Amino acid sequence: MLTTNKKLLDAAKTGGYAVGAFNINNMEFIQGITGAAEELGSPVICAVSEGAIAYAGFEYIVAMVSVAAGERSIPISLHLDHGRDPGVIEQCIRGGFTSVMIDGSNLSFEENVEVTRRVVDMAEPEGVSVEGELGKLAGVEDNVSVEEAEAKFTDPAEAEEFVEKTGVDALAIAVGTSHGAYKFKGEPMLAFDRLSAIASRVSIPLVLHGASGVNQEHVKLANDHGAALKGTKGVPDEAIIEAVRRGICKVNIDTDMRIALTAFIREALAGQPDVIDPRKYLGHGRDAVSLVVKNKIKLFGSEGKA
Ligand code: G3H
Ligand code: 13P
Ligand code: ZN
């Protein structure tokens, strides 16, 4: 059944676990993700970026996730990830999404409050929940010192004010993670004290973006079959467990599925040089997505919480 992020995340906060938000781009992702969640009796969030909408088409995304929500015996949310285009955000609110993220993290605090408040005002009457973002995810390519990186992290006092002024249902925070497969140059480090400080001032569920672990076995499998991924590093599983313990209720994963799907498809193609039937390798890709999602559900503690 289709449900909102708010319902899933409020229950997660009470229960002390997190719900995974997994990015979808096509049928294989949707089937792999929702199939894995159903097998483990877990709620799940299908996250859709503006790029995914441009790739697959709005109506296809809504229709395919609606089919999954109708046939799977678990609650599924259809969520806009990193919404920035006001036209797309409105289309999602009016067109069947149950949750939207407005990402104003590139704006000043005041502008972020203003655009986020506007989205909440539009979404609330439609029963659509809203995630805001405060602070900037630090990318390793930024090549900055620890002090400079921390300056971009979410400020606890600002987080409290932001939530009060905007009325968002969930807040994405920056505590040291970043998107993609190259998250840290040295040792992975998250600002756990800051996370706890934010959690003590903000009563709504907190969200961790850029949370992929970048499984080195999958990276090796891809590299063994022609990929060239060097210097990849993700967030260790223990850090995710600690983040959930300190108040993270939604964990966003895209990169881990991308790597696994690519690795499994590369392996399948290399092992069957005569194959031209796409189902023979796309099926392996779908299995890879399912494998990643099952491991994440266990890590986040949402197994059996559907
Ligand atoms: O945080 C962004 C997600 O990984 C989606 O990426 O915009 O390339 O679809 P995308
Ligand atoms: P990863 O790149 O770490 O998978 O993060 C995904 C994400 O935050 C999507 O919003
Ligand atoms: Zn993100």
Side-chain angles (χ1 to χ4, degrees), residues 32-56:
I33 292 163
T34 61
E38 181 173 53
E39 216 177 302
L40 296 184
S42 170
V44 77
I45 296 165
C46 289
V48 186
S49 68
E50 291 180 349
I53 291 174
Y55 174 76

Side-chain angles (χ1 to χ4, degrees), residues 34-206:
T34 61
E38 181 173 53
E39 216 177 302
L40 296 184
S42 170
V44 77
I45 296 165
C46 289
V48 186
S49 68
E50 291 180 349
I53 291 174
Y55 174 76
F58 185 85
E59 299 296 343
Y60 277 90
I61 293 277
V62 174
M64 286 192 291
V65 174
S66 300
V67 170
E71 75 174 23
R72 305 286 190 196
S73 58
I74 48 161
I76 296 174
S77 168
L78 176 55
H79 170 73
L80 174 66
D81 192 29
H82 293 285
R84 283 205 168 151
D85 181 330
V88 173
I89 294 171
E90 181 164 5
Q91 187 181 24
C92 292
I93 290 172
R94 313 231 183 269
F97 277 53
T98 58
S99 173
V100 294
M101 174 185 187
I102 162 69
D103 179 354
S105 62
N106 59 327
L107 305 172
S108 70
F109 180 81
E110 290 74 23
E111 288 170 327
N112 192 354
V113 167
E114 198 186 314
V115 297
T116 305
R117 179 75 241 176
R118 226 179 287 144
V119 171
V120 171
D121 286 344
M122 190 192 296
E124 224 167 41
E126 305 288 336
V128 170
S129 47
V130 179
E131 173 182 332
E133 175 163 339
L134 188 64
K136 291 188 177 67
L137 294 203
V140 77
E141 69 281 3
D142 293 348
N143 202 18
V144 293
S145 68
V146 174
E147 292 75 27
E148 283 172 300
E150 286 208 6
K152 296 180 176 178
F153 290 179
T154 309
D155 177 76
E158 278 192 358
E160 186 177 351
E161 190 185 340
F162 184 83
V163 169
E164 246 175 54
K165 288 189 165 160
T166 59
V168 286
D169 302 298
L171 181 68
I173 59 170
V175 288
T177 59
S178 59
H179 293 118
Y182 306 89
K183 299 189 192 298
F184 305 99
K185 279 217 174 101
E187 279 309 295
M189 267 207 339
L190 296 198
F192 286 120
D193 289 348
R194 187 180 290 260
L195 166 47
S196 291
I198 298 166
S200 72
R201 300 180 77 135
V202 166
S203 60
I204 58 169
L206 299 176

Side-chain angles (χ1 to χ4, degrees), residues 27 36 118 124 154 161 163 213 221 225 248 290 303:
M27 185 192 77
R118 226 179 287 144
E124 224 167 41
T154 309
E161 190 185 340
V163 169
L221 185 64
H225 295 93
I248 291 295
S290 168
E303 183 175 5

Side-chain angles (χ1 to χ4, degrees), residues 23 25 49-52 81-82 179 209 254-255 258:
N23 286 83
N25 291 281
S49 68
E50 291 180 349
D81 192 29
H82 293 285
H179 293 118
H209 283 249
D254 188 3
T255 298
R258 290 182 178 194

